Amino acid sequence: GNSVTQMEGPVTLSEEAFLTINCTYTATGYPSLFWYVQYPGEGLQLLLKATKADDKGSNKGFEATYRKETTSFHLEKGSVQVSDSAVYFCALSDHDTGNQFYFGTGTSLTVIP
Amino acid sequence: DVKVTQSSRYLVKRTGEKVFLECVQDMDHENMFWYRQDPGLGLRLIYFSYDVKMKEKGDIPEGYSVSREKKERFSLILESASTNQTSMYLCASSYHREAFFGQGTRLTVV
């Protein structure tokens, strides 16, 4: 079946530190992969996506590369800001299961000045 | 911009009440979803719909039903609310494998 596993939080970093949030997946078909971000009191917003192997998604300084060989889609940012404090969700969508989305449990990030 | 609007941000209901959560999207998307979000459990799919009058059970449909009479509107119904349904409820619509979320409804059942 389809599933997503991401590193548990919470994660606390100082401003300008390097961020990695690990995400691995299992899928029966050829999924698209996503990172969503949820700011306090809000719904989820798409941060970045990749639709095929070796694609790199990027947005707002965040990057993630679709690695089929390791079934991973780790989120990275070189220098985090206080405004990046949020919950981050890794997700996949698989045509073979009718475009359903499968989410990880979320990783809470707090960036301190 | 795609807009997915949930009718309430916060809702307090009593045990045993019938509760309606409404969701409207403005981009003619065929797919719509209802999730609940709980700490440590992430998002769990309750129901989804591919088209008008079509619905499919997700991972946790017990205690819920849905209605999709028009393409833009997808309603989640709690037939008889219970305290274990206190949660954040998120509606989403999707197109080309990208999901767009509403702002969420935080439901408290007392």
Side-chain angles (χ1 to χ4, degrees):
Chain A
N2 296 318
S3 67
V4 174
T5 303
Q6 63 182 103
M7 65 183 278
E8 297 203 10
V11 174
T12 302
L13 294 173
S14 297
E15 206 165 21
E16 300 183 3
F18 185 85
L19 168 71
T20 300
I21 301 178
N22 290 337
C23 172
T24 57
Y25 68 91
T26 58
T28 54
Y30 299 93
S32 294
L33 301 175
F34 307 85
W35 277 99
Y36 281 84
V37 59
Q38 184 180 35
Y39 298 104
E42 301 293 325
L44 276 68
Q45 303 173 24
L46 178 67
L47 181 59
L48 53 84
K49 66 179 179 182
T51 58
K52 61 183 187 297
D54 300 324
D55 268 3
K56 178 187 279 188
S58 61
N59 185 27
K60 299 182 181 179
F62 290 90
E63 292 183 340
T65 301
Y66 189 142
R67 302 280 188 206
K68 192 174 179 185
E69 63 276 14
T70 54
T71 62
S72 64
F73 192 56
H74 305 321
L75 182 69
E76 296 182 338
K77 187 175 185 183
S79 176
V80 294
Q81 305 300 313
V82 172
S83 57
D84 294 327
S85 299
V87 180
Y88 293 82
F89 291 90
C90 185
L92 72 82
S93 172
D94 187 350
H95 264 318
D96 290 352
T97 53
N99 291 323
Q100 285 189 57
F101 289 80
Y102 299 84
F103 289 85
T105 53
T107 301
S108 174
L109 170 67
T110 300
V111 180
I112 54 178
Chain B
D1 278 354
V2 175
K3 193 155 187 180
V4 179
T5 303
Q6 295 183 228
S7 52
S8 305
R9 291 293 297 269
Y10 301 94
L11 215 49
V12 180
K13 295 292 182 181
R14 294 193 179 279
T15 300
E17 276 193 76
K18 191 168 185 176
V19 181
F20 294 85
L21 303 183
E22 307 287 348
C23 176
V24 177
Q25 50 99 357
D26 66 357
M27 285 301 292
D28 205 37
H29 290 169
E30 292 184 346
N31 303 328
M32 295 188 75
F33 307 83
W34 274 107
Y35 296 87
R36 63 177 283 176
Q37 181 182 8
D38 300 288
L41 298 177
L43 275 70
R44 292 181 290 167
L45 182 63
I46 304 171
Y47 269 96
F48 60 102
S49 169
Y50 294 135
D51 204 346
V52 176
K53 296 194 186 296
M54 295 186 68
K55 58 185 178 184
E56 298 285 342
K57 292 180 180 179
D59 299 319
I60 51 164
E62 298 78 19
Y64 303 94
S65 62
V66 289
S67 171
R68 191 152 181 217
E69 297 296 319
K70 293 185 178 180
K71 196 172 187 179
E72 67 270 19
R73 185 181 296 270
F74 191 37
S75 303
L76 179 70
I77 303 155
L78 285 66
E79 299 290 343
S80 177
S82 64
T83 55
N84 63 12
Q85 292 178 309
T86 291
S87 186
M88 169 74 95
Y89 289 87
L90 294 168
C91 174
S93 69
S94 79
Y95 179 72
H96 280 186
R97 295 196 180 190
E98 182 172 333
F100 300 86
F101 283 84
Q103 77 277 29
T105 297
R106 185 164 294 283
L107 172 67
T108 302
V109 182
V110 297

